[in-house]
Amino acid sequence: MEIPGDQTYHSEDMGGPQKRAIALMSGGLDSALAAAWTKRLGFEVVGLNLATGFCTGQGRCDAVLAQGLALGIPVRLLEVSAEYLEVVKHPKYGRGQGMNPCLDCRIFMLQKAKEVMEEEGASFVVTGEVLGQRPMSQHREALELVAQESGLGERLVRPLSGRLLGPTFPERMGWVKREDWLDIQGRSRQRQLALARELGIPQFTPPGGGCCLLLERAYSKRLRDLIREKGVDALTKDDFALLRYGRHFRLGPKVRVVVGRDETENAALLSFPGDHHVLEFPDVPGPVALVLGEPSAEELREAAELAARYSDAPKDTPVRVLVRRNEDIREIQVIPWDKDDPRLARLRIDR
Ligand code: SF4
């Protein structure tokens, strides 16, 4: 039988059976369970976490490392954000409800895992995918597609649903029996939660909780808007990074305003690289705002009035705004827009 992706990994080529697996670990429950279950079956497991730049949880790397520590699984962290941008820009298999290119994303991650598998002298790759759990990427055809397209074929193992899926390389080698895999399917997490308690898996992000910026409605709206302005090929790493922060408004075809929502975002906007106007409020607590593009004097004033709405400046009272672009610093006074001003809703990109 021809096994896709099997040309280079015959066990005899590796000097004997390699009972080592690479487990893709996201910091979530399912991937930790899959890694732990594989280890329980007697395999040596190396965890792999890929930093794509689109992860929402700052603590997810910590969660992966904590899981690895608790399970006795060493974890490799791999930075792949530059390559991943191409996946986001040009997905071959389309997007979900947001800008999430889930099938292409899975294929990319598994290709990376395959490279690590080769480096580590491992025999197969393990994921926490569950048959029927996610509509776009975890139905049977999608699972088969990513196995083929990643080049892993039978070397891609989903232990949580393995009994319900096709035969795997470890089975063919006689290392495990079909019944050793689990038969979890669907969206309920009850069995996974029970198994997590049994296997002592700590600190996973809440089941069903978001983990990916590309799934988020607001982020997706900002990204769609920016693609309309610049075209997808022109988007840079910084363009994507800036979409993470603040409230976004469009003042003109080439002019955007980003207004920080809290101190963390204000600090991020202040240090954001690039040739843009920065607005600050020296006399009252208020946001930092960036004006992107080449605004006219009128648009710059409008941006300052808009940003002032989110400051503590009293209603109908002029407030001082520092306007900085590189070394050039000016000062203007504006009356803040009222919080119910209809222009706010009309200009907002991400509502
Ligand atoms: S939700 Fe995001 S990280 Fe998960 S498969 Fe889809 S694009 Fe990739």
Side-chain angles (χ1 to χ4, degrees), residues 38-180:
T38 305
K39 187 163 188 264
R40 187 192 240 197
L41 292 176
F43 294 97
E44 183 187 343
V45 178
V46 176
L48 175 64
N49 180 258
L50 301 178
T52 63
F54 288 88
C55 188
T56 52
Q58 296 301 322
R60 284 187 82 85
C61 275
D62 295 343
V64 174
L65 294 173
Q67 288 169 345
L69 211 57
L71 298 169
I73 292 175
V75 176
R76 281 183 63 174
L77 304 175
L78 205 59
E79 158 65 43
V80 293
S81 55
E83 287 174 81
Y84 189 74
L85 275 192
E86 286 310 306
V87 178
V88 176
K89 286 181 177 183
H90 300 290
K92 181 175 165 190
Y93 292 104
R95 305 180 192 275
Q97 287 191 335
M99 291 297 273
N100 49 310
C102 288
L103 285 176
D104 296 84
C105 171
R106 296 304 299 167
I107 291 166
F108 171 83
M109 289 189 176
L110 291 166
Q111 286 168 340
K112 288 286 153 204
K114 181 170 176 282
E115 288 171 20
V116 173
M117 179 182 86
E118 293 174 18
E119 284 170 28
E120 294 278 348
S123 295
F124 62 101
V125 170
V126 169
T127 72
E129 288 161 308
V130 169
L131 181 63
Q133 189 179 85
R134 293 187 183 184
M136 184 177 181
S137 60
Q138 294 184 7
H139 57 86
R140 192 176 293 277
E141 293 74 23
L143 293 178
E144 285 169 7
L145 177 82
V146 298
Q148 301 305 316
E149 290 266 318
S150 64
L152 282 164
E154 288 191 349
R155 289 175 186 267
L156 176 53
V157 179
R158 286 90 169 199
L160 303 187
S161 296
R163 228 186 285 175
L164 307 168
L165 300 169
T168 61
F169 182 76
E171 289 166 62
R172 192 164 63 76
M173 295 301 290
W175 296 336
V176 291
K177 298 193 189 73
R178 179 124 276 257
E179 313 83 78
D180 289 330

Side-chain angles (χ1 to χ4, degrees), residues 225-226 229 248-258 277 290-296 298-300 302-303 347 349:
D225 172 82
L226 197 56
E229 179 193 325
H248 287 234
F249 300 85
R250 180 160 291 288
L251 295 191
K254 300 279 183 192
V255 181
R256 277 180 302 146
V257 184
V258 181
H277 290 87
L290 304 189
V291 187
L292 291 304
E294 292 298 335
S296 63
E298 191 182 330
E299 285 170 328
L300 206 50
E302 197 177 14
L347 299 174
I349 291 167

